[in-house]
């Protein structure tokens, strides 16, 4: 504080909200010119802004009509995995199509190391994008919270936990596992194994929960030896399938938590002399090009991946235009659908 008792630091958005007697999101809406604010609240915020001398960088750009018009899409993976997995390409296709229609620039960012993460955080702190989309987020990833702390809107593909505080778009992962097992049980399979995704990802845990629920509903006894952990890669599917055959050589079905892992499992089954589907039925998730091109074509639980990308972009654009109140972040759950092919 100065000797006169007046504050010398830059006033914060929270201080404007406190002075105006409104929430932080309402202040953001007024500053960004949103019509979703009452005239009384608008006048209170404008009065508080004038009294405090509040002119943050993002607000100044917005009021001057000079946003960056750029959105970052962050994928914490290598180039090799990005281009090997149809999932990421479908997300990018959906996001880029929606942003192009809104005349926004897409900044694709791969984060493969702590150094790259730090550099990206510095980039965000310089206010070079208007919002951030994040894909393939693990449970302990602090980046979504760091993005929000910088005052930038963020939308996740999937979520880190049940009570995710950041806006997200997800699919019915639990239903995917339950549907797959129900289908296999209806085909007379009784020793149904699963290859999970990495269990530090909420979506992978939900698919495992769905698998277990499906077993219970079909009256099949759970057996933890029929559960092997993968990592959503083809090699991870290979490793997990070998583990399962070593532990339970009599298994007669496998639910793999992604089509790519199912492709790895299919290769190991072939090496072991097991035919699909006669000896072992196989079901994946995503309904990607991988599923359609496998021999035999793979039964898969379809996620509307491109639509997820479009929905993420639409939510982010809405958040940029009119930020939500804390605790009222938008969240969308999209349905899944079983597509039956020759592998089951």
């Amino acid at each position: 504080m100065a000797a006169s008792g007046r504050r010398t630091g830059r006033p914060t958005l929270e201080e404007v909200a406190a002075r105006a007697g409104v929430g932080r999101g309402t202040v953001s809406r007024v500053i960004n010119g949103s019509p979703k604010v009452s005239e009384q609240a608008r006048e209170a915020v404008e009065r508080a802004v004038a009294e405090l001398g509040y002119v943050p960088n993002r607000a100044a750009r917005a009021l001057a009509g000079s946003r960056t018009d750029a959105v970052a899409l962050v994928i914490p993976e290598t180039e090799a995995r990005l281009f090997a997995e149809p999932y990421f390409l479908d997300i990018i296709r959906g996001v880029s199509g929606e942003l192009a229609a809104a005349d926004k620039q897409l900044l694709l960012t791969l984060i493969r190391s702590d150094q790259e993460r730090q550099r990206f955080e510095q980039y965000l702190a310089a206010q070079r994008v208007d919002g951030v989309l994040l894909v393939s987020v693990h449970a302990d990833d602090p980046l979504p919270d760091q993005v929000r702390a910088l005052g930038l809107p963020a939308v996740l593909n999937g979520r880190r936990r049940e009570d995710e505080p950041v806006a997200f778009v997800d699919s019915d992962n639990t239903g995917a596992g339950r549907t797959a097992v129900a289908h296999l049980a209806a085909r007379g399979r009784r020793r149904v194994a699963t290859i999970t995704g990495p269990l530090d990802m909420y979506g992978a845990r939900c698919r495992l929960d769905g698998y277990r629920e499906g077993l219970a509903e079909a009256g099949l006894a759970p057996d933890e030896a029929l559960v092997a952990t993968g990592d959503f890669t083809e090699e991870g599917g290979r490793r997990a399938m070998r583990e399962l055959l070593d532990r339970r050589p009599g298994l007669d079905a496998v639910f793999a938590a992604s089509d790519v892992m199912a492709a790895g499992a299919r290769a190991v089954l072939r090496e072991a002399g097991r035919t699909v589907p006669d000896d072992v039925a196989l079901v994946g998730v995503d309904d990607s090009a991988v599923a359609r091109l496998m021999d035999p074509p793979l039964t898969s639980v379809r996620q509307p991946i491109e639509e997820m990308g479009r929905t993420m972009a639409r939510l982010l654009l809405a958040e940029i235009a009119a930020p939500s109140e804390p605790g009222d972040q938008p969240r969308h759950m999209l349905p899944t659908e079983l597509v039956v092919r020759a592998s089951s």
Side-chain angles (χ1 to χ4, degrees):
M1 300 286 285
S4 65
R6 297 180 64 188
R7 70 187 320 279
T8 57
R10 175 182 291 177
T12 66
L13 195 72
E14 287 74 14
E15 288 170 332
V16 173
R19 175 70 67 94
V22 299
R24 185 179 186 278
T26 300
V27 175
S28 295
R29 289 187 181 91
V30 172
I31 289 171
N32 287 291
S34 169
K36 301 178 182 178
V37 181
S38 70
E39 190 59 35
Q40 181 180 2
R42 186 181 307 282
E43 290 175 359
V45 170
E46 290 173 348
R47 186 164 54 249
V49 165
E51 291 171 357
L52 293 172
Y54 175 76
V55 187
N57 291 338
R58 281 188 74 234
R61 285 204 313 273
L63 291 171
S66 56
R67 291 190 184 278
T68 68
D69 284 333
V71 167
L73 173 60
V74 182
I75 303 177
E77 303 290 351
T78 64
E79 294 97 329
R81 188 170 178 201
L82 172 69
F83 293 109
E85 296 196 23
Y87 182 90
F88 296 126
L89 301 180
D90 285 346
I91 286 286
I92 293 170
R93 187 179 298 112
V95 167
S96 62
E98 199 70 26
L99 292 181
D103 201 23
K104 303 293 182 183
Q105 181 179 356
L106 172 63
L107 173 68
L108 178 61
T109 303
L110 304 184
I111 296 181
R112 296 149 293 192
S113 67
D114 289 340
Q115 183 180 12
E116 289 183 343
R117 177 182 294 275
Q118 291 169 7
R119 189 158 57 239
F120 181 65
E121 289 168 6
Q122 293 168 358
Y123 186 88
L124 293 181
Q127 302 289 331
R128 294 178 178 174
V129 296
D130 294 327
V132 181
L133 300 165
L134 298 107
V135 179
S136 193
V137 178
H138 293 252
D140 60 351
D141 194 336
L143 187 57
D145 300 315
Q146 292 165 346
V147 171
R148 293 180 72 209
L150 290 169
L152 289 168
V155 177
L156 308 183
N157 171 229
R159 46 186 159 158
R160 293 169 293 176
R161 56 184 184 270
E162 175 65 29
D163 58 343
E164 175 60 64
V166 179
F168 66 82
V169 177
D170 205 353
S171 63
D172 182 9
N173 290 298
T174 304
R178 194 166 50 236
T179 298
V181 174
H183 168 73
L184 291 167
R187 295 293 176 96
R189 308 294 171 154
R190 291 296 176 264
R191 296 177 298 281
V192 181
T194 188
I195 299 173
T196 77
L199 295 180
D200 65 339
M201 297 185 74
Y202 184 74
R205 295 200 305 275
C206 287
R207 289 177 195 178
L208 177 57
D209 289 344
Y211 161 81
R212 288 173 171 150
E213 290 176 13
L215 291 180
E217 291 171 4
L220 300 177
D223 179 356
E224 287 305 305
L226 288 171
V227 178
T229 304
D231 59 4
F232 288 141
T233 69
E234 184 173 355
E235 182 54 37
R238 287 175 180 267
R239 288 195 302 269
M241 192 67 247
R242 291 189 191 102
E243 288 178 26
L244 291 169
L245 289 176
D246 286 343
R247 293 185 210 152
R248 292 291 185 268
L251 63 83
D252 61 7
V254 177
F255 164 55
S258 77
D259 291 346
V260 173
M261 291 196 300
R266 173 70 185 89
V268 170
L269 289 168
R270 176 172 288 171
E271 291 166 4
R274 308 295 178 89
T275 60
V276 175
D278 295 339
D279 297 328
V280 180
L282 189 59
V283 176
V285 178
D286 287 338
D287 188 35
S288 62
V290 171
R292 295 187 290 275
L293 296 173
M294 276 178 60
D295 178 24
L298 180 69
T299 294
S300 184
V301 183
R302 175 184 293 159
Q303 290 193 95
I305 303 172
E306 190 170 331
E307 176 58 28
M308 290 172 74
R310 287 194 294 268
T311 304
M312 289 170 63
R314 285 196 294 267
L315 283 186
L316 186 68
L317 293 172
E319 284 294 294
I320 291 169
S324 300
E325 295 282 358
D328 191 29
Q329 298 297 318
R331 49 193 62 194
H332 280 243
M333 288 283 291
L334 300 179
T336 55
E337 174 190 4
L338 184 71
V339 179
V340 179
R341 298 190 178 93
S343 71
S344 64

